[in-house]
Amino acid sequence: MARLLIAEDDPEIAMLERDYLEMEGYEVAVVDNGQRAATEALKGEYDLILLDLMLPGCGGYDVCRLIRDRIDVPILMVTARTESVDKIRGLGLGADDYIPKPFDPAELVARVKAHLSRYARLTGGGRGEPEAIDLGRVQILPQSWKVLKDGQEVKMPNREFSLLKFLAEHPNVVFSKEKLFETIWGCDYMGDSATVTVHIGRVRDKVEDDPAHPKLIETVWGAGYRLSRP
């Protein structure tokens, strides 16, 4: 069964989350400050992390950045900060979901299940290494879950990788934000298509020579996005 890490400094909320998740059979660890959250998460022993933004010592944004720079694991931000700018910033740093407080414990469990299931599908094993998708200076290795630019690996979390891979598998086809959201995040994800814009920006930062003037992943105004494959 999956191992989960809860980073939450409010003991009542932490115990509520832990109790509901343990009832589902998950193994759960709880930490109450940012430093411990980062230390525990970077051990690589957890399958999903529930991360409060307002942690003492080291804030949730910083912890999220540290985790995402080192390992690929679903990160769900759970926070009382519900402004759009907070949500966009969290997603921009690599969070996979954003759950506002107060929350329905059953919904929290449903989101955890959905992310664990989707992550397992995205990273599931297969036989052999499919042929690399060649985008010129950028190559995608589907089975190894790697992206190379000029021969050097570019670290890319699962959703960014899936988004780039999907566009590369359908070159020169325009996809709306809604279609990309449905395809990559799925119907079980409780978010909206604005998430696509955030992730497209992060992918461009990693594969484009000039992200402000992208040549690989183009914006088709009023329609969506298109990958121009050489």
Side-chain angles (χ1 to χ4, degrees):
M1 180 57 70
R3 298 191 69 208
L4 313 181
L5 176 65
I6 296 173
E8 171 62 64
D9 66 328
D10 185 320
E12 292 187 3
I13 294 176
M15 293 307 101
L16 177 67
E17 294 173 345
R18 187 194 67 184
D19 290 347
Y20 270 83
L21 291 167
E22 286 184 341
M23 283 191 293
E24 295 295 323
Y26 298 117
E27 183 180 345
V28 181
V30 179
V31 295
D32 60 4
N33 65 71
Q35 288 93 340
R36 289 188 62 199
T39 300
E40 280 295 310
L42 293 177
K43 290 179 180 178
E45 299 175 352
Y46 298 96
D47 300 292
L48 182 143
I49 298 168
L50 290 165
L51 178 63
D52 183 26
L53 280 183
M54 302 176 70
L55 291 170
C58 181
Y61 289 127
D62 292 328
V63 174
C64 182
R65 184 186 297 109
L66 287 169
I67 296 171
R68 188 54 78 219
D69 285 346
R70 298 280 298 278
I71 59 175
D72 184 15
V73 61
I75 301 173
L76 279 61
M77 286 187 167
V78 184
T79 178
R81 299 176 63 171
T82 58
E83 296 294 329
S84 295
V85 65
D86 295 315
K87 181 175 181 179
I88 292 171
R89 184 182 179 193
L91 294 172
L93 290 173
D96 294 282
D97 204 349
Y98 195 99
I99 304 173
K101 297 176 184 176
F103 55 83
D104 179 348
E107 179 183 339
L108 177 75
V109 171
R111 293 204 195 191
V112 167
K113 287 183 176 180
H115 282 283
L116 287 171
S117 175
R118 188 159 188 84
Y119 184 77
R121 293 197 301 270
L122 290 171
T123 59
R127 295 187 178 180
E129 173 71 62
E131 184 178 354
I133 302 174
D134 189 357
L135 304 176
R137 294 174 60 191
V138 175
Q139 289 80 42
I140 302 172
L141 308 180
Q143 191 61 45
S144 297
W145 212 254
K146 292 181 179 179
V147 176
L148 307 178
K149 183 176 181 182
D150 297 330
Q152 300 297 313
E153 183 176 355
V154 177
K155 295 296 183 182
M156 202 167 279
N158 57 319
R159 289 273 164 65
E160 295 175 24
F161 180 90
S162 298
L163 185 57
L164 177 61
K165 177 174 174 285
F166 177 78
L167 290 171
E169 290 173 336
H170 303 84
N172 306 313
V173 177
V174 178
F175 292 97
S176 67
K177 289 190 294 184
E178 291 73 20
K179 177 61 178 177
L180 291 172
F181 181 80
E182 177 185 342
T183 300
I184 304 303
W185 280 261
C187 297
D188 52 9
Y189 183 86
M190 300 172 188
D192 56 57
S193 59
T195 302
V196 175
T197 303
V198 173
H199 282 71
I200 286 286
R202 284 159 46 188
V203 172
R204 282 172 168 166
D205 286 341
K206 296 175 181 180
V207 301
E208 298 279 2
D209 293 329
D210 182 2
H213 302 88
K215 301 295 185 184
L216 185 61
I217 302 176
E218 301 175 331
T219 299
V220 181
W221 296 107
Y225 299 101
R226 172 182 61 209
L227 185 139
S228 296
R229 186 171 177 178

